[in-house]
Amino acid sequence: ASTADDVFEYLSDGVAVDGQPCALAANGAAGVYFATTKGVGLCAKGDPAAAKVEVFKSTMWDPTKIVHVSAHSMVVAGAKDGVVRVLDPATLAETKALPPHRGEITALAATTTTLAAGDADRDIKLYALPGLDLKLHSIWRFHTSRVTDLAFRPHEGGGADYLASTASDETIYVWSIDKPHDVPVKFDFAHKDGVTALAWIDEAHLLSAGNDANALKWKPL
């Protein structure tokens, strides 16, 4: 019979970072970007047994989320002050800050054309990439508590036509990006005590995980 040791192998003892890690964003070419309670950093790709922090940038703001947009060589971070910031992918220096949300940034997701940001005030905003012009706000506010995750449905060409969102209110919504005023697909009571994560398997199937220690598969479209 197979055991966990047959499937998983520890490649290193981990990497010490400054602060408590709170988010990761993979970059296949460079390694993994990470956010901690004290700043943002890049763990370089290489020999897993000799993994190290290549860059670390302490911040005056408290990071909460981070994403890497490879199509535009862009790193984007969210923070407790509600601000979405663009970072230089090499130095992690701040290059741009967007007008703040009314709540802490609690979720980020990106495609080649769009960045989505969810917050503790229940709002979901869409920004056009790479310029980050605001495309949508104050419309997708159906959640009754903080947004916990966002996931774009994979689409040909790297874009997306639907965005799934979830929150600590136990609900999942699937929104049309092309028709943002349409009534979204809704799944009530998806996970007891709140949904924590979303991921599309393919264009037809969505996975969710929650505080009830379950992972569920959905076919929303």
Side-chain angles (χ1 to χ4, degrees):
S2 296
T3 67
D5 290 338
D6 296 326
V7 181
F8 298 105
E9 177 184 358
Y10 288 105
L11 298 180
S12 77
D13 292 327
V15 179
V17 297
D18 192 6
Q20 178 67 36
C22 53
L24 299 171
N27 175 357
V32 177
Y33 292 101
F34 60 89
T36 78
T37 53
K38 294 187 177 180
V40 291
L42 170 63
C43 186
K45 185 177 180 180
D47 180 2
K52 64 178 182 178
V53 175
E54 188 76 17
V55 180
F56 186 81
K57 185 78 171 178
S58 297
T59 58
M60 298 296 292
W61 39 275
D62 298 320
T64 55
K65 297 294 177 181
I66 193 166
V67 294
H68 175 241
V69 189
S70 58
H72 304 293
S73 299
M74 180 185 296
V75 176
V76 180
K80 285 187 176 181
D81 60 8
V83 177
V84 174
R85 293 173 170 88
V86 181
L87 310 177
D88 181 275
T91 66
L92 296 178
E94 182 179 327
T95 60
K96 185 174 185 177
L98 303 183
H101 289 229
R102 288 185 291 184
E104 167 186 344
I105 303 301
T106 53
L108 289 174
T111 70
T112 58
T113 60
T114 308
L115 172 75
D119 62 41
D121 194 50
R122 307 179 293 113
D123 198 12
I124 299 167
K125 295 184 180 182
L126 299 184
Y127 302 90
L129 291 173
L132 290 170
D133 296 322
L134 185 61
K135 294 172 56 176
L136 180 144
H137 69 96
S138 303
I139 297 175
W140 294 353
R141 290 181 57 87
F142 288 15
H143 287 294
T144 59
S145 60
R146 65 169 47 210
V147 178
T148 54
D149 204 10
L150 300 168
F152 284 105
R153 185 174 87 150
H155 192 56
E156 185 178 350
D161 51 358
Y162 288 91
L163 176 72
S165 70
T166 195
S168 51
D169 62 4
E170 306 182 355
T171 302
I172 297 171
Y173 288 100
V174 179
W175 314 86
S176 170
I177 295 171
D178 296 330
K179 299 178 180 179
H181 294 278
D182 281 7
V183 176
V185 176
K186 181 183 181 185
F187 298 107
D188 284 314
F189 311 113
H191 292 271
K192 188 179 185 302
D193 298 325
V195 190
T196 55
L198 294 173
W200 290 89
I201 304 173
D202 51 38
E203 290 195 359
H205 299 96
L206 178 70
L207 280 182
S208 66
N211 287 321
D212 57 1
N214 284 311
L216 301 178
K217 182 178 178 181
W218 308 88
K219 189 173 182 181
L221 301 169

mmCIF file of all heavy atoms in Angstrom, residues 64-65 78-84 100-108 117-125 140-150 166-169:
data_model
loop_
_atom_site.group_PDB
_atom_site.id
_atom_site.type_symbol
_atom_site.label_atom_id
_atom_site.label_comp_id
_atom_site.label_asym_id
_atom_site.label_seq_id
_atom_site.Cartn_x
_atom_site.Cartn_y
_atom_site.Cartn_z
ATOM 1 N N THR A 64 -0.587 41.556 3.088
ATOM 2 C CA THR A 64 -1.557 40.495 3.330
ATOM 3 C C THR A 64 -1.595 39.476 2.189
ATOM 4 O O THR A 64 -1.784 38.289 2.424
ATOM 5 C CB THR A 64 -2.969 41.070 3.500
ATOM 6 O OG1 THR A 64 -3.298 41.871 2.352
ATOM 7 C CG2 THR A 64 -3.071 41.915 4.764
ATOM 8 N N LYS A 65 -1.410 39.938 0.939
ATOM 9 C CA LYS A 65 -1.490 39.078 -0.239
ATOM 10 C C LYS A 65 -0.434 39.504 -1.256
ATOM 11 O O LYS A 65 0.012 40.656 -1.270
ATOM 12 C CB LYS A 65 -2.883 39.145 -0.881
ATOM 13 C CG LYS A 65 -4.005 38.633 0.004
ATOM 14 C CD LYS A 65 -3.876 37.145 0.274
ATOM 15 C CE LYS A 65 -4.946 36.636 1.224
ATOM 16 N NZ LYS A 65 -4.804 35.200 1.502
ATOM 17 N N GLY A 78 -1.129 43.257 -1.720
ATOM 18 C CA GLY A 78 -2.200 43.902 -0.977
ATOM 19 C C GLY A 78 -1.780 44.069 0.474
ATOM 20 O O GLY A 78 -0.874 43.385 0.949
ATOM 21 N N ALA A 79 -2.467 44.970 1.175
ATOM 22 C CA ALA A 79 -2.052 45.264 2.543
ATOM 23 C C ALA A 79 -3.236 45.545 3.447
ATOM 24 O O ALA A 79 -4.367 45.755 2.982
ATOM 25 C CB ALA A 79 -1.093 46.461 2.550
ATOM 26 N N LYS A 80 -2.956 45.583 4.741
ATOM 27 C CA LYS A 80 -4.005 45.848 5.726
ATOM 28 C C LYS A 80 -4.577 47.257 5.605
ATOM 29 O O LYS A 80 -5.708 47.509 6.029
ATOM 30 C CB LYS A 80 -3.456 45.637 7.138
ATOM 31 C CG LYS A 80 -3.284 44.173 7.516
ATOM 32 C CD LYS A 80 -2.913 44.023 8.979
ATOM 33 C CE LYS A 80 -2.831 42.548 9.367
ATOM 34 N NZ LYS A 80 -2.495 42.371 10.802
ATOM 35 N N ASP A 81 -3.810 48.185 5.030
ATOM 36 C CA ASP A 81 -4.312 49.546 4.867
ATOM 37 C C ASP A 81 -5.242 49.699 3.666
ATOM 38 O O ASP A 81 -5.681 50.801 3.348
ATOM 39 C CB ASP A 81 -3.156 50.549 4.768
ATOM 40 C CG ASP A 81 -2.227 50.288 3.586
ATOM 41 O OD1 ASP A 81 -2.552 49.429 2.743
ATOM 42 O OD2 ASP A 81 -1.174 50.960 3.505
ATOM 43 N N GLY A 82 -5.550 48.576 2.986
ATOM 44 C CA GLY A 82 -6.480 48.608 1.862
ATOM 45 C C GLY A 82 -5.866 49.018 0.547
ATOM 46 O O GLY A 82 -6.578 49.145 -0.458
ATOM 47 N N VAL A 83 -4.559 49.214 0.511
ATOM 48 C CA VAL A 83 -3.885 49.677 -0.703
ATOM 49 C C VAL A 83 -3.321 48.492 -1.480
ATOM 50 O O VAL A 83 -2.703 47.590 -0.895
ATOM 51 C CB VAL A 83 -2.761 50.670 -0.372
ATOM 52 C CG1 VAL A 83 -2.002 51.088 -1.625
ATOM 53 C CG2 VAL A 83 -3.338 51.899 0.324
ATOM 54 N N VAL A 84 -3.528 48.511 -2.807
ATOM 55 C CA VAL A 84 -2.894 47.570 -3.724
ATOM 56 C C VAL A 84 -1.657 48.267 -4.290
ATOM 57 O O VAL A 84 -1.750 49.363 -4.847
ATOM 58 C CB VAL A 84 -3.846 47.162 -4.856
ATOM 59 C CG1 VAL A 84 -3.128 46.298 -5.887
ATOM 60 C CG2 VAL A 84 -5.058 46.411 -4.291
ATOM 61 N N PRO A 100 -6.890 53.534 -2.054
ATOM 62 C CA PRO A 100 -7.195 52.449 -1.110
ATOM 63 C C PRO A 100 -8.633 51.953 -1.180
ATOM 64 O O PRO A 100 -9.549 52.716 -1.466
ATOM 65 C CB PRO A 100 -6.912 53.086 0.251
ATOM 66 C CG PRO A 100 -7.071 54.553 0.029
ATOM 67 C CD PRO A 100 -6.602 54.808 -1.368
ATOM 68 N N HIS A 101 -8.800 50.670 -0.935
ATOM 69 C CA HIS A 101 -10.106 50.090 -0.671
ATOM 70 C C HIS A 101 -10.554 50.546 0.713
ATOM 71 O O HIS A 101 -9.749 51.037 1.515
ATOM 72 C CB HIS A 101 -10.029 48.562 -0.687
ATOM 73 C CG HIS A 101 -9.817 47.970 -2.035
ATOM 74 N ND1 HIS A 101 -10.583 46.938 -2.529
ATOM 75 C CD2 HIS A 101 -8.915 48.239 -3.002
ATOM 76 C CE1 HIS A 101 -10.162 46.587 -3.730
ATOM 77 N NE2 HIS A 101 -9.138 47.370 -4.033
ATOM 78 N N ARG A 102 -11.813 50.315 1.022
ATOM 79 C CA ARG A 102 -12.323 50.695 2.333
ATOM 80 C C ARG A 102 -11.990 49.676 3.408
ATOM 81 O O ARG A 102 -12.189 49.924 4.595
ATOM 82 C CB ARG A 102 -13.837 50.911 2.265
ATOM 83 C CG ARG A 102 -14.224 52.171 1.522
ATOM 84 C CD ARG A 102 -15.711 52.431 1.579
ATOM 85 N NE ARG A 102 -16.466 51.454 0.810
ATOM 86 C CZ ARG A 102 -17.787 51.502 0.626
ATOM 87 N NH1 ARG A 102 -18.486 52.478 1.188
ATOM 88 N NH2 ARG A 102 -18.400 50.591 -0.093
ATOM 89 N N GLY A 103 -11.471 48.533 2.986
ATOM 90 C CA GLY A 103 -11.095 47.496 3.938
ATOM 91 C C GLY A 103 -9.768 46.870 3.550
ATOM 92 O O GLY A 103 -9.247 47.069 2.443
ATOM 93 N N GLU A 104 -9.210 46.109 4.458
ATOM 94 C CA GLU A 104 -7.974 45.359 4.239
ATOM 95 C C GLU A 104 -8.085 44.498 2.984
ATOM 96 O O GLU A 104 -9.135 43.896 2.711
ATOM 97 C CB GLU A 104 -7.743 44.481 5.472
ATOM 98 C CG GLU A 104 -6.714 43.403 5.344
ATOM 99 C CD GLU A 104 -6.667 42.501 6.560
ATOM 100 O OE1 GLU A 104 -7.215 42.890 7.619
ATOM 101 O OE2 GLU A 104 -6.075 41.413 6.463
ATOM 102 N N ILE A 105 -7.015 44.392 2.203
ATOM 103 C CA ILE A 105 -7.000 43.521 1.031
ATOM 104 C C ILE A 105 -6.878 42.075 1.508
ATOM 105 O O ILE A 105 -5.895 41.707 2.159
ATOM 106 C CB ILE A 105 -5.848 43.869 0.073
ATOM 107 C CG1 ILE A 105 -5.932 45.327 -0.375
ATOM 108 C CG2 ILE A 105 -5.865 42.933 -1.143
ATOM 109 C CD1 ILE A 105 -7.211 45.700 -1.092
ATOM 110 N N THR A 106 -7.878 41.269 1.184
ATOM 111 C CA THR A 106 -7.927 39.893 1.679
ATOM 112 C C THR A 106 -7.815 38.847 0.571
ATOM 113 O O THR A 106 -7.722 37.658 0.859
ATOM 114 C CB THR A 106 -9.245 39.668 2.446
ATOM 115 O OG1 THR A 106 -10.345 40.052 1.609
ATOM 116 C CG2 THR A 106 -9.268 40.499 3.722
ATOM 117 N N ALA A 107 -7.817 39.283 -0.705
ATOM 118 C CA ALA A 107 -7.697 38.338 -1.817
ATOM 119 C C ALA A 107 -7.209 39.071 -3.058
ATOM 120 O O ALA A 107 -7.619 40.211 -3.319
ATOM 121 C CB ALA A 107 -9.036 37.657 -2.110
ATOM 122 N N LEU A 108 -6.332 38.418 -3.815
ATOM 123 C CA LEU A 108 -5.847 38.927 -5.094
ATOM 124 C C LEU A 108 -5.816 37.790 -6.103
ATOM 125 O O LEU A 108 -5.515 36.644 -5.752
ATOM 126 C CB LEU A 108 -4.434 39.501 -4.970
ATOM 127 C CG LEU A 108 -4.218 40.820 -4.220
ATOM 128 C CD1 LEU A 108 -2.730 41.096 -4.105
ATOM 129 C CD2 LEU A 108 -4.928 41.967 -4.918
ATOM 130 N N ALA A 117 -9.171 42.317 -6.925
ATOM 131 C CA ALA A 117 -8.810 42.501 -5.520
ATOM 132 C C ALA A 117 -10.071 42.471 -4.672
ATOM 133 O O ALA A 117 -11.026 43.201 -4.943
ATOM 134 C CB ALA A 117 -8.070 43.817 -5.317
ATOM 135 N N GLY A 118 -10.089 41.620 -3.660
ATOM 136 C CA GLY A 118 -11.200 41.549 -2.719
ATOM 137 C C GLY A 118 -10.764 42.072 -1.363
ATOM 138 O O GLY A 118 -9.576 42.009 -1.021
ATOM 139 N N ASP A 119 -11.726 42.575 -0.596
ATOM 140 C CA ASP A 119 -11.339 43.196 0.667
ATOM 141 C C ASP A 119 -12.251 42.798 1.824
ATOM 142 O O ASP A 119 -13.247 42.099 1.653
ATOM 143 C CB ASP A 119 -11.258 44.717 0.524
ATOM 144 C CG ASP A 119 -12.589 45.369 0.158
ATOM 145 O OD1 ASP A 119 -13.636 44.964 0.697
ATOM 146 O OD2 ASP A 119 -12.580 46.310 -0.663
ATOM 147 N N ALA A 120 -11.888 43.292 3.017
ATOM 148 C CA ALA A 120 -12.640 42.976 4.228
ATOM 149 C C ALA A 120 -13.966 43.710 4.296
ATOM 150 O O ALA A 120 -14.807 43.394 5.141
ATOM 151 C CB ALA A 120 -11.792 43.309 5.453
ATOM 152 N N ASP A 121 -14.171 44.675 3.407
ATOM 153 C CA ASP A 121 -15.430 45.413 3.344
ATOM 154 C C ASP A 121 -16.395 44.788 2.341
ATOM 155 O O ASP A 121 -17.373 45.416 1.948
ATOM 156 C CB ASP A 121 -15.151 46.875 2.975
ATOM 157 C CG ASP A 121 -16.355 47.770 3.217
ATOM 158 O OD1 ASP A 121 -16.928 47.709 4.313
ATOM 159 O OD2 ASP A 121 -16.730 48.529 2.280
ATOM 160 N N ARG A 122 -16.075 43.580 1.848
ATOM 161 C CA ARG A 122 -16.940 42.775 0.985
ATOM 162 C C ARG A 122 -16.895 43.174 -0.484
ATOM 163 O O ARG A 122 -17.586 42.591 -1.307
ATOM 164 C CB ARG A 122 -18.406 42.804 1.447
ATOM 165 C CG ARG A 122 -18.619 42.435 2.905
ATOM 166 C CD ARG A 122 -20.079 42.511 3.295
ATOM 167 N NE ARG A 122 -20.583 43.876 3.265
ATOM 168 C CZ ARG A 122 -21.478 44.318 2.413
ATOM 169 N NH1 ARG A 122 -21.978 43.517 1.484
ATOM 170 N NH2 ARG A 122 -21.904 45.575 2.470
ATOM 171 N N ASP A 123 -16.095 44.168 -0.844
ATOM 172 C CA ASP A 123 -16.074 44.631 -2.231
ATOM 173 C C ASP A 123 -15.045 43.849 -3.045
ATOM 174 O O ASP A 123 -14.027 43.394 -2.511
ATOM 175 C CB ASP A 123 -15.745 46.120 -2.289
ATOM 176 C CG ASP A 123 -16.118 46.757 -3.627
ATOM 177 O OD1 ASP A 123 -16.833 46.111 -4.416
ATOM 178 O OD2 ASP A 123 -15.696 47.908 -3.875
ATOM 179 N N ILE A 124 -15.326 43.724 -4.341
ATOM 180 C CA ILE A 124 -14.396 43.133 -5.301
ATOM 181 C C ILE A 124 -14.199 44.148 -6.417
ATOM 182 O O ILE A 124 -15.168 44.580 -7.047
ATOM 183 C CB ILE A 124 -14.928 41.810 -5.882
ATOM 184 C CG1 ILE A 124 -15.142 40.776 -4.772
ATOM 185 C CG2 ILE A 124 -13.972 41.264 -6.945
ATOM 186 C CD1 ILE A 124 -15.941 39.563 -5.212
ATOM 187 N N LYS A 125 -12.954 44.536 -6.636
ATOM 188 C CA LYS A 125 -12.644 45.495 -7.693
ATOM 189 C C LYS A 125 -11.836 44.809 -8.785
ATOM 190 O O LYS A 125 -11.017 43.926 -8.516
ATOM 191 C CB LYS A 125 -11.853 46.684 -7.134
ATOM 192 C CG LYS A 125 -12.645 47.530 -6.144
ATOM 193 C CD LYS A 125 -11.837 48.750 -5.689
ATOM 194 C CE LYS A 125 -12.633 49.590 -4.694
ATOM 195 N NZ LYS A 125 -11.891 50.806 -4.265
ATOM 196 N N TRP A 140 -20.008 44.150 -7.301
ATOM 197 C CA TRP A 140 -19.930 42.779 -6.810
ATOM 198 C C TRP A 140 -19.753 42.798 -5.291
ATOM 199 O O TRP A 140 -18.702 42.461 -4.759
ATOM 200 C CB TRP A 140 -18.776 42.051 -7.483
ATOM 201 C CG TRP A 140 -18.985 41.849 -8.970
ATOM 202 C CD1 TRP A 140 -20.112 42.130 -9.689
ATOM 203 C CD2 TRP A 140 -18.041 41.315 -9.898
ATOM 204 N NE1 TRP A 140 -19.937 41.806 -11.011
ATOM 205 C CE2 TRP A 140 -18.672 41.296 -11.171
ATOM 206 C CE3 TRP A 140 -16.739 40.846 -9.793
ATOM 207 C CZ2 TRP A 140 -18.031 40.835 -12.320
ATOM 208 C CZ3 TRP A 140 -16.090 40.386 -10.927
ATOM 209 C CH2 TRP A 140 -16.733 40.375 -12.171
ATOM 210 N N ARG A 141 -20.807 43.197 -4.600
ATOM 211 C CA ARG A 141 -20.790 43.309 -3.139
ATOM 212 C C ARG A 141 -21.865 42.418 -2.508
ATOM 213 O O ARG A 141 -22.502 42.792 -1.531
ATOM 214 C CB ARG A 141 -21.002 44.765 -2.711
ATOM 215 C CG ARG A 141 -19.838 45.679 -3.012
ATOM 216 C CD ARG A 141 -20.121 47.101 -2.542
ATOM 217 N NE ARG A 141 -20.433 47.160 -1.121
ATOM 218 C CZ ARG A 141 -19.531 47.264 -0.153
ATOM 219 N NH1 ARG A 141 -18.247 47.315 -0.451
ATOM 220 N NH2 ARG A 141 -19.897 47.324 1.110
ATOM 221 N N PHE A 142 -22.066 41.228 -3.064
ATOM 222 C CA PHE A 142 -23.118 40.348 -2.574
ATOM 223 C C PHE A 142 -22.705 39.581 -1.327
ATOM 224 O O PHE A 142 -23.553 39.097 -0.589
ATOM 225 C CB PHE A 142 -23.536 39.363 -3.659
ATOM 226 C CG PHE A 142 -24.321 39.979 -4.792
ATOM 227 C CD1 PHE A 142 -24.361 41.350 -4.982
ATOM 228 C CD2 PHE A 142 -25.023 39.183 -5.678
ATOM 229 C CE1 PHE A 142 -25.072 41.917 -6.030
ATOM 230 C CE2 PHE A 142 -25.743 39.730 -6.730
ATOM 231 C CZ PHE A 142 -25.769 41.105 -6.907
ATOM 232 N N HIS A 143 -21.409 39.411 -1.096
ATOM 233 C CA HIS A 143 -20.974 38.704 0.108
ATOM 234 C C HIS A 143 -21.366 39.518 1.346
ATOM 235 O O HIS A 143 -21.427 40.749 1.301
ATOM 236 C CB HIS A 143 -19.468 38.478 0.088
ATOM 237 C CG HIS A 143 -19.026 37.434 -0.890
ATOM 238 N ND1 HIS A 143 -19.366 36.104 -0.757
ATOM 239 C CD2 HIS A 143 -18.279 37.524 -2.022
ATOM 240 C CE1 HIS A 143 -18.836 35.411 -1.755
ATOM 241 N NE2 HIS A 143 -18.179 36.247 -2.541
ATOM 242 N N THR A 144 -21.614 38.819 2.430
ATOM 243 C CA THR A 144 -22.016 39.487 3.667
ATOM 244 C C THR A 144 -20.883 39.590 4.687
ATOM 245 O O THR A 144 -21.081 40.095 5.791
ATOM 246 C CB THR A 144 -23.213 38.750 4.307
ATOM 247 O OG1 THR A 144 -22.841 37.394 4.575
ATOM 248 C CG2 THR A 144 -24.413 38.767 3.376
ATOM 249 N N SER A 145 -19.705 39.101 4.325
ATOM 250 C CA SER A 145 -18.527 39.241 5.179
ATOM 251 C C SER A 145 -17.292 39.257 4.291
ATOM 252 O O SER A 145 -17.394 39.177 3.064
ATOM 253 C CB SER A 145 -18.457 38.105 6.207
ATOM 254 O OG SER A 145 -18.375 36.855 5.560
ATOM 255 N N ARG A 146 -16.131 39.337 4.883
ATOM 256 C CA ARG A 146 -14.893 39.558 4.127
ATOM 257 C C ARG A 146 -14.656 38.512 3.052
ATOM 258 O O ARG A 146 -14.906 37.315 3.236
ATOM 259 C CB ARG A 146 -13.682 39.598 5.072
ATOM 260 C CG ARG A 146 -13.381 38.302 5.784
ATOM 261 C CD ARG A 146 -12.016 38.353 6.493
ATOM 262 N NE ARG A 146 -11.842 39.562 7.253
ATOM 263 C CZ ARG A 146 -10.659 40.132 7.465
ATOM 264 N NH1 ARG A 146 -9.561 39.607 6.973
ATOM 265 N NH2 ARG A 146 -10.576 41.214 8.199
ATOM 266 N N VAL A 147 -14.200 38.972 1.901
ATOM 267 C CA VAL A 147 -13.815 38.080 0.812
ATOM 268 C C VAL A 147 -12.562 37.319 1.239
ATOM 269 O O VAL A 147 -11.625 37.910 1.774
ATOM 270 C CB VAL A 147 -13.540 38.887 -0.471
ATOM 271 C CG1 VAL A 147 -13.075 37.966 -1.604
ATOM 272 C CG2 VAL A 147 -14.772 39.676 -0.882
ATOM 273 N N THR A 148 -12.552 36.002 1.011
ATOM 274 C CA THR A 148 -11.402 35.199 1.426
ATOM 275 C C THR A 148 -10.578 34.666 0.261
ATOM 276 O O THR A 148 -9.395 34.362 0.433
ATOM 277 C CB THR A 148 -11.851 34.010 2.298
ATOM 278 O OG1 THR A 148 -12.855 33.259 1.592
ATOM 279 C CG2 THR A 148 -12.410 34.500 3.629
ATOM 280 N N ASP A 149 -11.188 34.536 -0.938
ATOM 281 C CA ASP A 149 -10.393 34.081 -2.083
ATOM 282 C C ASP A 149 -11.096 34.448 -3.383
ATOM 283 O O ASP A 149 -12.324 34.620 -3.426
ATOM 284 C CB ASP A 149 -10.161 32.567 -2.030
ATOM 285 C CG ASP A 149 -8.909 32.143 -2.810
ATOM 286 O OD1 ASP A 149 -8.125 33.028 -3.221
ATOM 287 O OD2 ASP A 149 -8.724 30.934 -3.020
ATOM 288 N N LEU A 150 -10.286 34.553 -4.439
ATOM 289 C CA LEU A 150 -10.756 34.846 -5.793
ATOM 290 C C LEU A 150 -10.043 33.916 -6.757
ATOM 291 O O LEU A 150 -8.868 33.595 -6.566
ATOM 292 C CB LEU A 150 -10.439 36.301 -6.178
ATOM 293 C CG LEU A 150 -11.048 37.400 -5.311
ATOM 294 C CD1 LEU A 150 -10.398 38.737 -5.646
ATOM 295 C CD2 LEU A 150 -12.555 37.484 -5.529
ATOM 296 N N THR A 166 -15.300 33.941 -2.981
ATOM 297 C CA THR A 166 -15.874 33.318 -1.800
ATOM 298 C C THR A 166 -15.508 34.140 -0.574
ATOM 299 O O THR A 166 -14.703 35.064 -0.642
ATOM 300 C CB THR A 166 -15.416 31.858 -1.651
ATOM 301 O OG1 THR A 166 -16.252 31.200 -0.710
ATOM 302 C CG2 THR A 166 -13.965 31.768 -1.207
ATOM 303 N N ALA A 167 -16.144 33.799 0.553
ATOM 304 C CA ALA A 167 -15.997 34.615 1.752
ATOM 305 C C ALA A 167 -16.227 33.768 2.995
ATOM 306 O O ALA A 167 -16.585 32.586 2.914
ATOM 307 C CB ALA A 167 -16.989 35.785 1.710
ATOM 308 N N SER A 168 -16.053 34.393 4.138
ATOM 309 C CA SER A 168 -16.321 33.707 5.392
ATOM 310 C C SER A 168 -17.816 33.548 5.638
ATOM 311 O O SER A 168 -18.225 32.987 6.659
ATOM 312 C CB SER A 168 -15.666 34.451 6.559
ATOM 313 O OG SER A 168 -16.009 35.822 6.545
ATOM 314 N N ASP A 169 -18.655 34.017 4.685
ATOM 315 C CA ASP A 169 -20.114 33.874 4.810
ATOM 316 C C ASP A 169 -20.640 32.538 4.287
ATOM 317 O O ASP A 169 -21.847 32.352 4.167
ATOM 318 C CB ASP A 169 -20.821 35.030 4.092
ATOM 319 C CG ASP A 169 -20.531 35.061 2.591
ATOM 320 O OD1 ASP A 169 -19.838 34.147 2.080
ATOM 321 O OD2 ASP A 169 -20.989 36.006 1.928
#
